[in-house]
């Protein structure tokens, strides 16, 4: 089972997919991993055979496949948010919609007063997801021309035309 502080990988992955971990915690965990690989006994350091930025590369790219815990946490939060958008009829999506955005869409929500830590994590995931989300136009009925980032530009995701009212 491991030492008393051992946390199974599936449990830690679940926690990272539901909560935004503090940066200091991610850094402390990374430090513990590094110490395990590079630390030594009786004050003697082990030989560092590979730089950390190489160790976090995929194995297919010559690394060891370690995860950058900050980025991994962000990716899992964005994935959870994507699941709420992709599966709006799921129990979780319906529950959160009823509580946090009853009359709108998840992409239009903003922070409410006194949000739960889970909702804060979803909003962080939404913030990250919005940076890379794209639309498939289809029939165009759901496009809000003045609000949606539908024409990518160098400086902004906004449309550059004059609004005629």
């Amino acid at each position: 089972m491991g030492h008393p502080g051992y946390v199974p990988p599936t449990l830690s992955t679940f926690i990272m997919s539901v909560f935004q971990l503090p940066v200091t915690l991610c850094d402390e965990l990374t430090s513990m991993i590094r110490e395990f690989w590079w630390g030594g006994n009786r004050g003697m350091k082990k030989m560092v055979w590979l730089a950390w930025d190489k160790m976090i590369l995929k194995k297919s790219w010559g690394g060891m496949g370690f995860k950058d815990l900050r980025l991994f946490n962000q990716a899992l939060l964005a994935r959870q948010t994507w699941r709420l958008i992709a599966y709006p009829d799921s129990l979780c999506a319906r529950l959160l919609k009823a509580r946090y955005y009853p009359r709108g869409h998840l992409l239009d929500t903003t922070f409410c007063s006194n949000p739960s830590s889970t909702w804060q994590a979803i909003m962080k995931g939404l913030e990250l997801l919005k940076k890379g989300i794209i639309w498939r136009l289809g029939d165009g009925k759901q496009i809000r021309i003045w609000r949606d980032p539908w024409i990518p530009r160098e400086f902004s995701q906004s449309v550059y035309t004059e609004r005629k009212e």
Side-chain angles (χ1 to χ4, degrees):
M1 199 70 186
H3 58 82
Y6 175 75
V7 179
T10 53
L11 181 59
S12 59
T13 301
F14 171 75
I15 289 169
M16 292 179 85
S17 70
V18 177
F19 302 105
Q20 182 180 7
L21 299 182
V23 172
T24 53
L25 178 59
C26 290
D27 290 346
E28 187 175 329
L29 291 170
T30 299
S31 177
M32 291 168 72
I33 294 167
R34 291 167 97 165
E35 181 65 25
F36 174 80
W37 282 95
W38 293 336
N41 290 341
R42 297 179 208 134
M44 301 209 29
K45 290 287 185 183
K46 292 181 183 176
M47 175 64 75
V48 176
W49 293 102
L50 193 61
W52 186 250
D53 60 339
K54 301 277 194 257
M55 290 180 78
I56 60 175
L57 290 175
K58 292 181 180 182
K59 291 178 184 178
S60 61
W61 293 356
M64 295 198 53
F66 287 100
K67 295 193 178 357
D68 178 328
L69 296 179
R70 289 182 187 185
L71 294 178
F72 187 58
N73 185 211
Q74 291 175 359
L76 290 174
L77 295 177
R79 179 175 176 249
Q80 288 292 60
T81 305
W82 173 84
R83 290 176 58 92
L84 294 174
I85 294 169
Y87 304 105
D89 294 328
S90 69
L91 178 60
C92 182
R94 290 184 320 196
L95 250 166
L96 290 170
K97 180 176 176 57
R99 171 68 172 97
Y100 292 107
Y101 55 102
R103 289 176 287 283
H105 191 272
L106 179 62
L107 291 171
D108 298 328
T109 58
T110 57
F111 269 106
C112 61
S113 60
N114 198 22
S116 68
S117 55
T118 302
W119 184 248
Q120 289 176 20
I122 289 169
M123 292 306 293
K124 177 62 177 177
L126 181 60
E127 175 188 320
L128 296 167
L129 198 61
K130 281 183 176 181
K131 291 179 181 179
I133 200 166
I134 61 170
W135 281 70
R136 290 201 175 139
L137 294 179
D139 62 9
K141 290 182 181 176
Q142 293 183 346
I143 299 291
R144 296 161 306 175
I145 192 168
W146 298 110
R147 291 188 64 203
D148 293 329
W150 61 281
I151 299 178
R153 302 283 180 169
E154 288 181 26
F155 304 106
S156 171
Q157 294 286 322
S158 301
V159 178
Y160 288 114
T161 61
E162 290 185 27
R163 184 183 289 204
K164 297 188 181 187
E165 310 249 351

